[in-house]
């Protein structure tokens, strides 16, 4: 046997048996905070779902967790301890919390590694009279990637222009307007702006898109583009609770979009009452891979939540948002600040993704698919499979679209 050929063969064998480089493991701090942020996800959602003025909901518990980390970084006494309690982190020391959240946020928002589009910006705006403490500026940038700006809130027009221009720049023009008003003129404002676009593990064909009706209620239907594909997905039908669940892996399979949809058109209140972390785990444990024909809205869901108005008080963060009680003296060296928080996010569902396995469509297992036709309100989560954290949680009740009239 030719020695050159033998060396080449041995090299190929070595390459075939060599272990693939392991993805960087997260530290215990990051996995602990991922777990705590997942608990926060369901608490946060349940509080927001009670607000009758909200239709669609879209929030990132991981980003809200980092905002709470910022509050504990800049706060003292009860102001800081309330933020830690919301994170279920009262018994953890400050360095553990900040390091863990920093590592978690850096990992899950790595758009390149996860092959998604995730534009994320966070900025703390203080009144023009403030002097930011240098230590706070350094640590908030180091751990939470926060930017800082002084702004004249009393000149509302100029303040809004400045905030919206920053958000547009941060999200590459995807979010040209994150807020229409500045409620408080003498406090500090946290603004989280983000645009998230999943990249499917197997794409939808761009030509398999057509106009369909989405039933907001039994008497109100809007026309939206719907995309369709049949593939192998994890699926479960809960007959007792009259709902279906499907898990759609995103590119690199590091995260998944999970959709929970009642069988028929109804308000989501009944299903929302079922939604706990334990119940979700139970449902996910019952998912089985099978052939599913999915029809999914091809829409952009854009939501702005003024989180401080109702949510923090309901969750237990009462001091940081109260002008008379807040102690955020680590931010400025003075006890002269209180916080408000605008959370603005957009989620775009599109056809883009990795090529699908064409051979699949000739196989027996793809026949007789279950129909998963998403034409009425549903709940969803973007779950991170590496850390078990919840990247986004929300509901789509009313997508943008023209009202359809009955043709009777």
């Amino acid at each position: 046997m030719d020695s050159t050929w033998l060396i080449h063969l041995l090299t190929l064998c070595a390459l075939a048996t060599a272990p693939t480089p392991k993805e960087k493991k997260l530290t215990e701090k990051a996995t602990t905070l991922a777990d705590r942020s997942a608990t926060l996800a369901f608490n946060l959602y349940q509080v927001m779902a009670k607000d009758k003025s909200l239709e669609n909901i879209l929030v990132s518990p991981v980003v809200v967790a980092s905002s709470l980390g910022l509050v504990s970084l800049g706060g003292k006494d009860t102001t800081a301890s309330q933020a830690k309690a919301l994170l279920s982190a009262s018994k953890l020391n400050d360095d553990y919390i900040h390091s863990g959240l920093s590592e978690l946020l850096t990992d899950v928002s790595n758009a390149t590694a996860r092959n998604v589009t995730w534009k994320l910006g966070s900025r703390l705006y203080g009144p023009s009279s403030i002097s930011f403490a240098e230590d706070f500026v350094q640590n908030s940038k180091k751990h939470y990637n926060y930017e800082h700006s002084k702004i004249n809130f009393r000149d509302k027009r100029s303040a809004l222009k400045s905030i919206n221009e920053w958000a547009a720049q941060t999200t590459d023009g995807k979010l040209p307007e994150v807020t229409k008003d500045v409620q408080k003129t003498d406090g500090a404002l946290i603004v989280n702006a983000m645009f998230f676009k999943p990249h499917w593990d197997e794409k939808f064909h761009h030509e398999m898109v057509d106009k369909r009706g989405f039933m907001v209620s039994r008497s109100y239907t809007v026309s939206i583009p719907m995309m369709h594909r049949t593939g192998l997905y994890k699926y479960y039908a809960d007959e007792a609770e009259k709902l279906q669940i499907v898990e759609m892996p995103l590119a690199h399979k590091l995260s998944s979009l999970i959709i929970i949809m009642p069988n028929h058109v109804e308000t989501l209140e009944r299903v929302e009452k079922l939604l706990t972390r334990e119940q979700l785990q139970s449902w996910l444990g019952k998912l089985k891979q099978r052939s599913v024909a999915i029809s999914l809205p091809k829409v952009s869901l854009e939501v702005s939540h003024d989180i401080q108005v109702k949510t923090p008080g309901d969750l237990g963060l009462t001091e940081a948002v109260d002008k008379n009680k807040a102690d955020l003296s680590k931010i400025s060296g003075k006890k002269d600040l209180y916080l408000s928080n605008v959370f603005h996010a957009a989620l775009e569902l599109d056809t883009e993704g990795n090529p699908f396995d064409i051979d699949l469509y000739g196989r027996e297992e793809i026949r007789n698919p279950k129909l998963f036709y998403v034409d009425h309100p549903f709940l969803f989560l973007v779950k991170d499979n590496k850390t078990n954290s919840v990247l986004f949680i929300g509901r789509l009740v009313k997508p943008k679209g023209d009202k359809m009239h009955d043709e009777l």
Side-chain angles (χ1 to χ4, degrees), residues 363-380:
R363 303 211 299 258
E364 183 68 31
E365 59 192 315
I366 204 69
R367 294 181 185 174
N368 303 315
K370 273 283 182 187
L371 185 64
F372 193 77
Y373 192 72
V374 187
D375 68 341
H376 56 275
F378 61 91
L379 310 181
F380 63 88

Side-chain angles (χ1 to χ4, degrees), residues 60 62-63 66 105 108-109 117-122 144-145 147 166 170-171 191-196 343-344 392:
S60 171
V62 171
V63 174
S66 66
L105 187 65
V108 300
S109 62
T117 302
W118 191 353
K119 308 288 183 186
L120 168 63
S122 297
Y144 302 114
N145 204 26
E147 300 173 43
W166 164 79
T170 298
T171 60
V191 182
N192 303 122
M194 69 204 67
F195 172 81
F196 184 81
F343 183 100
H344 192 98
F392 289 91

